[in-house]
Amino acid sequence: LGLAAGSLVAASAADEAAAAAGMFPNALPEAAEYNPKTPGGRPGDLGLSVRKLNKFDSTDGPALKGCGFGPNCFSTTGDTEDPLISTLLPYWKAPAGTAPADAVSELEKLIQAYPPGQGGVDGGGFQVVKVEPSYLYAEFASMKRGYIDDLEFSVGKDGVVQVRSGGRASTQKADKGSNAKRLNYLSAKLREKGWDASEITKDTHPYYFRLNAAKPKTQCLGMNCPEEMSLDPE
């Protein structure tokens, strides 16, 4: 199952044009001041598919795309035995007894209420591209450069939720904390509703935080300088 399958919600031609321009109609007003935008094309390998985990192993069933090693993506798909992968997430889980369609509906409502600019990210707005009974796909844009992050959820019959949020830029390019801040905002709201959705922190993903850290406000030289691990605004 990929993005070519039938959809209950699909982006209009105008929405796709907005994505190509690097901002959406719900962008912060000041996003228009930053040009040119460089969003990148929509990936053709999103959605659910059997994924290669390493040279020998694949996922047991359809899964969202993994992230590899870069500091601009998180996914529940990856080789759990590879110590170099720094972008792996634990699965989220809807409250017991929640049907996949109801879980997706709750995710859609939460995303539709998402405030562009929260945490200093996603000032270019967002759009929900695709909603199916067990799958949701949305796009989020940064304010200044118009970089697009792709956000996906897939809900199983057991309530286990696959998650992926990743930038379209080079896998080696930092994302200014956008994917972590977005997922942390959503997961906090879901935990209030009884979901199991863990927070991304400097302890769970130190490599990501290190490469996306803000510049120190005061200069420090020497071996005893504290390591800056707070995320930079986009």
Side-chain angles (χ1 to χ4, degrees), residues 96-119:
T98 304
D102 293 334
V104 169
S105 178
E106 190 162 6
L107 288 167
E108 183 185 10
K109 291 177 182 176
L110 178 57
I111 291 172
Q112 293 289 14
Y114 182 84
Q118 72 81 25

Side-chain angles (χ1 to χ4, degrees), residues 110-193:
L110 178 57
I111 291 172
Q112 293 289 14
Y114 182 84
Q118 72 81 25
V121 301
D122 299 329
F126 68 90
Q127 70 174 358
V128 175
V129 178
K130 187 170 188 177
V131 179
E132 295 180 342
S134 61
Y135 175 82
L136 184 149
Y137 167 41
E139 297 170 320
F140 293 77
S142 67
M143 182 170 68
K144 295 181 180 179
R145 297 296 300 274
Y147 290 136
I148 301 291
D149 291 343
D150 299 292
L151 174 67
E152 298 177 278
F153 296 101
S154 177
V155 185
K157 293 181 180 179
D158 56 359
V160 172
V161 182
Q162 297 184 49
V163 182
R164 184 182 186 275
S165 185
R168 294 181 186 175
S170 165
T171 57
Q172 301 302 316
K173 193 174 185 67
D175 65 4
K176 302 292 187 180
S178 62
N179 288 287
K181 291 179 180 180
R182 181 184 314 113
L183 287 176
N184 281 346
Y185 176 91
L186 297 174
S187 65
K189 296 293 185 182
L190 291 171
R191 288 195 298 273
E192 294 174 359
K193 299 177 180 294

Side-chain angles (χ1 to χ4, degrees), residues 67-103:
C67 290
F69 308 99
N72 65 353
C73 181
F74 294 99
S75 177
T76 50
T77 300
D79 184 355
T80 58
E81 297 182 359
D82 187 343
L84 296 179
I85 291 183
S86 59
T87 54
L88 196 61
L89 287 179
Y91 292 103
W92 292 6
K93 193 166 184 15
T98 304
D102 293 334

Side-chain angles (χ1 to χ4, degrees), residues 11-70:
S12 67
D15 289 335
E16 291 193 25
M23 58 185 295
F24 298 103
N26 55 8
L28 297 179
E30 53 267 38
E33 300 174 6
Y34 297 95
N35 282 297
K37 306 293 188 182
T38 52
R42 183 176 292 167
D45 56 353
L46 299 180
L48 291 170
S49 180
V50 174
R51 306 288 183 176
K52 289 286 292 183
L53 296 175
N54 52 48
K55 185 176 181 180
F56 304 103
D57 302 314
S58 300
T59 57
D60 292 333
L64 299 179
K65 183 181 177 181
C67 290
F69 308 99

Side-chain angles (χ1 to χ4, degrees), residues 205-218:
H205 295 82
Y207 177 76
Y208 174 90
F209 273 73
R210 191 173 297 117
L211 267 66
N212 284 286
K215 294 181 180 179
K217 295 181 179 179
T218 57

